[in-house]
Amino acid sequence: MPDFLVVIPARLGSTRLPRKPLADIGGKPMIVHVAERAKLSSAKQVLVATDSEEIQAACVAHHIDCALTRADHPTGTDRIAEVAEQLQLPANTLIVNVQGDEPLIPPELINQVAQTLADSPTCAISTVAVPITEILEINNPNVVKVVLNHLGEALYFSRAAIPFARDLGAGAAVTYLRHLGIYAYRTDFLRTYAGLEVAPPEKAEALEQLRALWNGYRIAVHTTSNAPPAGVDTPEDLERVRQILAND
């Protein structure tokens, strides 16, 4: 298992669920649950990256490392890049980006995305995908799809149904993959990424990983059949997670 850190970007702004990172789940803020799950992985360190002093205070109260960052970062990756600079990490340090709304994330999935990047020296990023089993998800723009090449690297990510099955009869042969929003990077790539302009497809799709593809960087994708529990985007999601954790 390679050495790696986990950084969890978190901000209070959320349109569908305001103040989401501080949402109470069983007496603890959601961001604390995420960090505690990440600590069950093989990460050498887990810390939250935020521009919110309220989130920082919640982390400190629960003995979670936290880095305070600027408020103007357009993406979580940009926020993590600032943390890498704050910590003056060596160029080849592996950092896993765990989303702050994943209180049920399997620790082994965190390990796997780090291992995938360690095993892919020509790639700048690694991430995860799972086969889509529900037909309604294929055309759901909230479900991000990814198409891979024969090396298991990403060709493109989209909110549209890709690959598009032109002939109805060919549809049965198409495997659609759902992209999961967990990434691993090396510090030297993060320093480069932070200086890249937002790419046109990134802006159109609102998918930050397209900035890397647009600029010629390769993304290794670990495909697993074990889809993790869904994260928290809505009040209904929050209630579902509360019930799951209450019954643990």
Side-chain angles (χ1 to χ4, degrees), residues 7-246:
V7 181
I8 306 167
R11 60 186 184 89
L12 284 180
S14 174
T15 54
R16 287 184 288 183
L17 187 57
R19 299 174 60 81
K20 181 164 61 171
L22 297 179
D24 180 82
I25 302 176
K28 289 187 290 191
M30 178 163 60
I31 192 66
V32 172
H33 284 278
V34 177
E36 289 177 345
R37 295 288 289 185
K39 285 186 174 184
L40 297 176
S41 74
S42 299
K44 300 300 181 185
Q45 183 182 8
V46 174
L47 71 155
V48 172
T50 185
D51 59 358
S52 165
E53 292 184 353
E54 284 187 80
I55 292 176
Q56 182 187 42
C59 291
V60 170
H62 290 86
H63 311 290
I64 302 296
D65 292 340
C66 185
L68 202 59
T69 67
R70 302 196 317 269
D72 60 348
H73 291 302
T75 71
T77 302
D78 293 287
R79 194 176 304 281
I80 293 173
E82 181 186 345
V83 172
E85 288 301 309
Q86 287 183 17
L87 298 178
Q88 298 184 322
L89 298 173
N92 62 347
T93 303
L94 297 186
I95 300 177
V96 175
N97 173 353
V98 173
Q99 302 297 314
D101 57 5
E102 298 280 352
L104 301 177
I105 188 167
E108 186 51 42
L109 189 66
I110 299 173
N111 293 339
Q112 186 59 64
V113 75
Q115 186 67 60
T116 298
L117 186 58
D119 292 340
S120 307
T122 60
C123 293
I125 304 175
S126 64
T127 190
V128 179
V130 296
I132 292 176
T133 57
E134 298 292 334
I135 192 70
L136 292 178
E137 290 189 350
I138 295 173
N139 291 304
N140 182 349
N142 293 317
V143 175
V144 178
K145 275 69 69 173
V146 59
V147 173
L148 310 183
N149 65 14
H150 73 286
L151 298 174
E153 297 173 4
L155 288 173
Y156 191 65
F157 297 84
S158 182
R159 297 181 183 278
I162 57 170
F164 178 75
R166 188 190 67 175
D167 299 319
L168 186 62
V174 175
T175 297
Y176 292 92
L177 294 174
R178 175 177 186 155
H179 173 237
L180 304 182
I182 180 172
Y183 304 95
Y185 335 84
R186 297 180 185 86
T187 301
D188 55 353
F189 168 74
L190 283 172
R191 291 180 177 131
T192 300
Y193 180 92
L196 299 175
E197 292 186 8
V198 174
E202 173 191 4
K203 187 178 295 186
E205 298 256 21
L207 298 174
E208 63 190 270
Q209 65 271 33
L210 291 176
R211 192 186 315 178
L213 289 183
W214 173 262
N215 285 280
Y217 293 96
R218 295 162 68 176
I219 301 177
V221 181
H222 171 67
T223 302
T224 176
S225 58
N226 299 318
V232 176
D233 287 321
T234 65
E236 293 76 20
D237 293 336
L238 179 60
E239 187 56 36
R240 170 181 51 81
V241 170
R242 282 172 172 161
Q243 291 296 325
I244 291 171
L245 290 177

